Amino acid sequence: MTANETIYLDYQATTPLDDRVLQVMLPYLTQKFGNPHSSTHKFGWEADIALDIAREQVAELIGAEPKEILFTSGATESNNLAIKGLMETWAAKKPHLITVETEHKCVLESALATKKLGCDVTILPVNADGLIDLDVLEGAIRPDTALVSIMAVNNEIGVIQPLEDIGRIVKKAGALFHCDAAQAFGKIPLDVDLMHIDLLSISGHKIYGPKGIGALYKRNARAVTLTPQMNGGGQEAGLRSGTQAPALVAGLGAAAKLASEDMRQEHTRLQGMQERFIKRLTNNITDLKINGSMEHRWPGNLNITIPKVDGDLLLADTRMIAVSSGAACASAVSGPSYVLQALGVSEEDAKSSIRIGFGRFTTDEELDKAADCIITAVKDQKERRCL
Ligand SMILES: Cc1ncc(COP(=O)(O)O)c(C=O)c1O
């Protein structure tokens, strides 16, 4: 995937819209323009059918019931609704919430916002490989813990948390489990029952769907009661008011369906590509370090540190490839990555790190070119700066 010969390798920031998804969306932007909430005529009904189909497609991918899927504007909103909505419901009991240092900002900020309601928040550390320590989690859960929010796949380093184990611990303790699956949905197998997940956040644009759409899975159980964060016409079971966007919803559903059809093959293909890429890089940059567990990892993400090399300079010198120094959503906040530092990476090494993300439309040839571009830029910088 190229724009003016630039190779796109920032698949964790966003993914290109798959043309097959666009084709499903188009009728809802033109002739099928009805408001799905208009229950008195055909225009409303046909738009509403788009929501029904997509709800089924999204639910199927995580082993849920269609009625347990609420459409939102994206994973940011889903995370806000899940965390703030749940804690607000139980606020009178001043409950406890647990999350993790390496979570996305929208989880961390939502968690911290619940303090205003009188909630108590614990933010757990991670091990050097980016994974949580299950004993530490177990020890942190208290009788008043209402919610544990832990992501599936990390957006900066690609590590996959042990969801089944986490779910078992959380359920045994009688708390609820929220999982930010923005980088996992459609990429790795997820099963809300097997993993004891009560709330799960989904984003459309990470799986070749449109931006501005996401979903929240909410288990149909009395304890999982959310306070709406958006009031109005009572759409989405009264939990997320505002006219739904049938074109975007249909796009999310189509993207979910395509992802499920292709999941296993795509994983194998990306695994092979990652191995080839790492080999090419490490053959030439011997001091290169890979951040995060190699064993529990989504293969389309590689976060590397090249000691002493300036990451920003490296990005400037590798303009033929679109990579990033970390989370796009946190790029307004300058400074070294808090995620890497949570792994114990020094501030200096964190500044010498870049994230390479690849996916459905990346070719071997593009990755080879990207590796060569990084190798040349590192060599040049080392010579220039006498490193
Ligand atoms: C782990 C994670 N959570 C949440 C989000 C926010 O998703 P959205 O862009 O759909 O609001 C992102 C996007 O970068 C993400 O990577």
Side-chain angles (χ1 to χ4, degrees):
M1 178 73 40
T2 58
N4 304 324
E5 299 309 312
T6 304
I7 301 170
Y8 186 73
L9 292 174
D10 204 6
Y11 274 70
Q12 277 72 48
T14 194
T15 55
L17 185 71
D18 192 305
D19 190 54
R20 293 167 292 179
V21 172
L22 177 64
Q23 296 313 316
V24 173
M25 293 171 61
L26 283 174
Y28 297 100
L29 291 166
T30 50
Q31 73 271 26
K32 296 185 179 182
F33 60 84
N35 182 334
H37 228 204
S38 300
S39 56
T40 53
H41 54 71
K42 178 175 168 284
F43 292 91
W45 303 332
E46 66 188 5
D48 197 36
I49 288 172
L51 305 191
D52 288 345
I53 296 171
R55 234 182 274 283
E56 246 173 65
Q57 289 167 324
V58 170
E60 193 171 322
L61 206 42
I62 55 171
E65 293 292 325
K67 64 172 187 257
E68 295 176 308
I69 304 298
L70 310 169
F71 294 117
T72 65
S73 63
T76 298
E77 188 188 335
S78 300
N79 287 335
N80 273 264
L81 176 58
I83 296 170
K84 294 197 268 191
L86 194 279
M87 297 307 276
E88 202 175 320
T89 300
W90 303 109
K93 297 187 170 172
K94 306 257 176 281
H96 177 227
L97 162 67
I98 298 177
T99 187
V100 179
E101 256 185 303
T102 48
E103 293 292 315
H104 193 274
K105 281 283 177 199
C106 61
V107 166
L108 291 171
E109 297 293 329
S110 296
L112 293 176
T114 67
K115 284 188 174 185
K116 279 191 281 188
L117 304 168
C119 303
D120 191 17
V121 180
T122 299
I123 301 182
L124 298 180
V126 290
N127 295 327
D129 60 3
L131 298 174
I132 64 153
D133 182 325
L134 294 170
D135 291 333
V136 172
L137 169 66
E138 206 160 8
I141 299 183
R142 314 188 310 218
D144 63 342
T145 304
L147 185 67
V148 174
S149 178
I150 299 181
M151 73 199 322
V153 174
N154 186 275
N155 48 308
E156 287 200 41
I157 53 174
V159 302
I160 305 174
Q161 297 292 355
L163 300 179
E164 238 180 284
D165 294 330
I166 294 169
R168 208 173 344 94
I169 291 170
V170 174
K171 188 178 164 66
K172 194 171 134 216
L176 299 177
F177 179 19
H178 165 246
C179 179
D180 174 3
Q183 299 283 349
F185 175 76
K187 295 180 181 159
I188 60 168
L190 293 170
D191 184 317
V192 288
D193 285 339
L194 186 74
M195 295 166 170
H196 304 295
I197 294 170
D198 300 293
L199 293 153
L200 179 132
S201 303
I202 290 168
S203 173
H205 71 105
K206 311 290 185 185
I207 54 160
Y208 314 95
K211 293 173 188 57
I213 186 73
L216 177 67
Y217 157 77
K218 185 190 90 65
R219 183 175 291 283
N220 189 20
R222 219 178 65 77
V224 194
T225 302
L226 303 180
T227 302
Q229 303 296 300
M230 193 94 88
N231 301 106
Q235 289 90 344
E236 298 302 300
L239 288 171
R240 201 281 186 175
S241 286
T243 305
Q244 298 99 331
L248 299 180
V249 169
L252 172 63
K257 182 165 177 277
L258 287 173
S260 76
E261 288 165 359
D262 200 31
M263 195 184 290
R264 201 183 293 252
Q265 300 93 296
E266 180 69 347
H267 194 279
T268 309
R269 192 180 75 91
L270 293 179
Q271 186 74 47
M273 288 174 83
Q274 189 194 67
E275 281 162 19
R276 178 182 166 124
F277 185 63
I278 292 175
K279 202 162 161 199
R280 204 169 176 109
L281 281 181
T282 49
N283 278 346
N284 291 279
I285 309 170
T286 48
D287 54 351
L288 179 146
K289 291 186 263 188
I290 298 170
N291 296 307
S293 164
M294 281 309 290
E295 198 187 335
H296 304 283
R297 160 183 294 275
W298 164 245
N301 173 306
L302 201 64
N303 190 309
I304 57 171
T305 299
I306 306 166
K308 299 206 177 67
V309 162
D310 182 311
D312 288 336
L313 267 183
L314 188 61
L315 290 184
D317 290 344
T318 51
R319 285 214 192 96
M320 68 163 278
I321 57 173
V323 294
S324 77
S325 54
C329 12
S331 60
V333 188
S334 59
S337 151
Y338 69 90
V339 171
L340 292 183
Q341 290 186 80
L343 269 63
V345 173
S346 69
E347 195 178 322
E348 203 191 344
D349 272 359
K351 286 183 190 157
S352 300
S353 304
I354 58 169
R355 178 184 70 179
I356 301 122
F358 38 96
R360 187 176 289 169
F361 302 109
T362 314
T363 63
D364 276 332
E365 195 199 353
E366 284 179 327
L367 268 192
D368 285 353
K369 271 196 198 162
D372 293 345
C373 175
I374 294 169
I375 293 162
T376 308
V378 168
K379 201 163 150 261
D380 284 355
Q381 196 186 128
K382 283 187 172 171
E383 273 171 19
R384 234 175 27 235
R385 297 176 53 218
C386 303
L387 297 174

